[in-house]
Amino acid sequence: MYKVADMGLAEEGRKNYEWAYRHMPALVRTIEKLKPKKPLEGVRVGVCLHVTKETSVLVMGLKELGADVYLTCANPLSTQDDIAAFLASEGVNVFAWRGESEEEYWENIRTVLRSRPSILMDDGSDAHVTAHEEGLCDSIVGGTEETTSGVIRLRALDEAGKLRYPIIAVNNAYTKFLFDNRYGTGQSTLDGILRATSLLIAGKKFVVCGYGWVGRGIAMRARGLGADVIVCEVDPYKALEASLDGYSVMPIAEAAKVGDIFVTATGQIGVIRGEHMELMKDGAILANSGHFDVEIDVSYLRKFKSRKVRPNVEEFDLNGKRLYLLAEGRVVNLVAAEGHPPEVMMMSFSNQLMSALYLLENHEKLEKKLYGVPEEIDREVAVNALEGFGIKIDKPTEEQVRYAKSW
Ligand code: ADE
C-alpha cells in the first residue's frame, strides 16, 4: 500500500538512495552485521521521519532485517518525492508527498498508527502524541524520538505520568546531538538559505536565535562564510558561551534593527514576533531551522500582501518595507535543501536502529518512561563512525588505565 506523488520518480529515487548508501558506512555496517539474524522478522515498524535519501537507507535496512515498514513524513514540506516513490517500489508502505495539506499530514500519521506498529520511530513527536491522544498506543511496545523539539514534548508527557510505552530519546545520544544538531544543521541550514536566496553571506549581519547545539552549528558555519554573526539567547550560560565564542550577543529587539538574515533555532514559540518585524530593515530575510513552524510569527506576516519571488522565497510588503520569508517558516534545511548530509545521518540513524532493537528485546523490563540511548549503543555508534571515516585512535595503556582508577 502506498500514497506518493509520482511513481515515475522511483528510478531517480533509487540513484539518490545509492548515493546516500555509499556515504553512510557506519549504518550500512550495522545493518550487514545484523542481517543474518533477521531481528525484525515479522515486526511492524511505524516510521514518521523526514522522507529523504538518508531515511531511505534506514528504511531499506529495517526491511532487510525483516520489518514490515509503514512510513510517513515528519513535515508536510520535507518529503523528497523521488525517495517516496523508490521506497514504495521496494514494497515499503509509504504515505508521504511534498506539499501535503495539514489534514493530509495528520491523516497519513493516523494511517501509520492504524497499521498497529510494534515499534514507532518519530521525529518531532507528532506520531507519539497522536498515538497518545487518539488511543492508538495498544500495539506499540516502544518508541524512539529523533529531535530536541520532540524530546521536549515527550518529557512533558513523561512528567505528567502519561507515557503509554517506553521511548528512547535518540536526540540525547552524544553521537546524535554533537554531530547531527551541530554539523548537520549547521551545514544544511546554510545550504537551504543559499539555495533559496543565492545571495552572498560574507559581510551580512547574520542573526542566530538560540545557541543550543543547532544554533552553535549555524553560527559557526555563517561565520565561516564571512558573516558578522549576532546571537540572541535567553539562557545565561549559553549567552556567555556565545559571547566568549566571539559573537555579538544582544536581545532580539536590538538585533532586529541591524540584521540582514535571521535564523531561529530555539525549539520555542514566538521568537521573532510582529514587534520585531516592525523594527527590521527593508530586505531582511527570515528563516527557521527549528522543527516546528512556530518560531517566526508567520501569522503576523500573513496580514500583509505577499508574492512568491523565487522557489522557497516569499516577499511580504509591510507598507512599503519588504521582508522575505524562506520555506514558509518551516525547517529551511529540509524544505529548501536536502536536510543533513548522509555522513551525519548515519550516526543518528544507527542510534535509531539500535535503539529500536534494544526496545524490542528489553521492553518487558522497561517502564513506560523516557530513556536515554544506552551508553553501549552510543559508544558502538562512535566506534563504527570512526571506522567509517577511516580514523584510527589510540588505546589507553595498562598504566594509564591503572592511573585513571587510582586515588
Ligand atoms: N533531519 C535533518 N536532516 C535529515 C535528513 N537528511 N534525513 C532525515 N531527517 C533529517
Side-chain angles (χ1 to χ4, degrees), residues 111 119 126 144 180 196 248 259 282 322 366 370 382 405:
T111 302
I119 296 288
D126 280 345
T144 59
D180 173 310
S248 303
D282 181 35
R322 286 150 306 167
L366 297 174
L370 187 61
K405 284 184 184 158

Side-chain angles (χ1 to χ4, degrees), residues 259-274:
D260 298 301
I261 300 174
F262 295 81
V263 183
T264 50
T266 66
Q268 262 295 359
I269 193 166
V271 176
I272 297 184
R273 303 183 290 276

Side-chain angles (χ1 to χ4, degrees), residues 50 52 54-55 123 146 180 333-334 338-341 345 349:
H50 299 293
T52 63
E54 292 74 25
T55 297
D123 184 338
E146 169 83 5
D180 173 310
N333 57 331
L334 281 141
E338 293 172 65
H340 303 352
M345 293 313 293
F349 286 165

